[in-house]
Amino acid sequence: MHAGLDLDAEAQTARFLRAIDNPRVGIIGHPTGRLIGRRQPASVSMERIMDAAHDAGCVLELNANPTRLDLSDIHCRMAAERGVGIAISTDAHCTGGLAHMRYGVDKARRGWLTADHVVNTRGWADLSKMLRRP
């Protein structure tokens, strides 16, 4: 999410639902679009997004960049309860950014995620079954 952040919750949620329905989309990146201290999270229905992601076999990103940390621990727990896969990403724009992975792992632990919830820990065969995409 990089544009259209001023939409209301219904319109913003509809954008995500359209993306999740697209069979070419396997992962939804930094779903609330927040930038800590600079931009509030977009108003979206995470319940509807997670339910749609589960039904479509789409994964949500937990962005480990310390300026984002998006998903929240609460959203991580919600994903785990719904069986939605989570991909932990550093959002690295240079090799130094790879060190941010530890923040993502810490956030995942706060949200009670286990290796079973995190797609980074799976082999290709398990991941392709989880994504349920053509």
Side-chain angles (χ1 to χ4, degrees):
M1 176 182 295
H2 293 110
L5 299 172
D6 56 346
L7 297 174
D8 65 37
E10 186 58 36
Q12 202 69 269
T13 300
R15 289 175 70 198
F16 280 106
L17 298 179
R18 282 191 306 276
I20 289 167
D21 276 345
N22 185 327
R24 293 187 172 145
V25 174
I27 299 175
I28 299 291
H30 45 77
T32 72
R34 81 174 179 173
L35 288 170
I36 296 172
R38 296 192 331 221
R39 181 171 66 211
Q40 291 296 312
S43 219
V44 295
S45 170
M46 287 306 291
E47 293 85 358
R48 288 177 58 203
I49 290 169
M50 288 199 191
D51 289 343
H54 174 268
D55 293 346
C58 191
V59 171
L60 299 180
E61 177 200 30
L62 190 175
N63 189 302
N65 186 298
T67 63
R68 287 195 184 275
L69 294 175
D70 183 11
L71 297 168
S72 70
D73 52 348
I74 293 166
H75 292 148
C76 287
R77 182 70 181 149
M78 186 186 301
E81 290 169 350
R82 286 175 162 75
V84 175
I86 298 295
I88 303 175
S89 165
T90 62
D91 198 10
H93 294 240
C94 64
T95 56
L98 297 174
H100 295 155
M101 184 58 85
R102 67 186 178 119
Y103 302 124
V105 171
D106 289 346
K107 181 67 74 168
R109 287 178 175 159
R110 282 189 57 167
W112 296 17
L113 298 185
T114 67
D116 290 338
H117 302 115
V118 179
V119 300
N120 308 53
T121 66
R122 297 177 176 262
W124 178 248
D126 283 345
L127 181 57
S128 63
K129 280 188 266 181
M130 175 183 255
L131 288 174
R132 295 188 304 238
R133 296 292 185 172

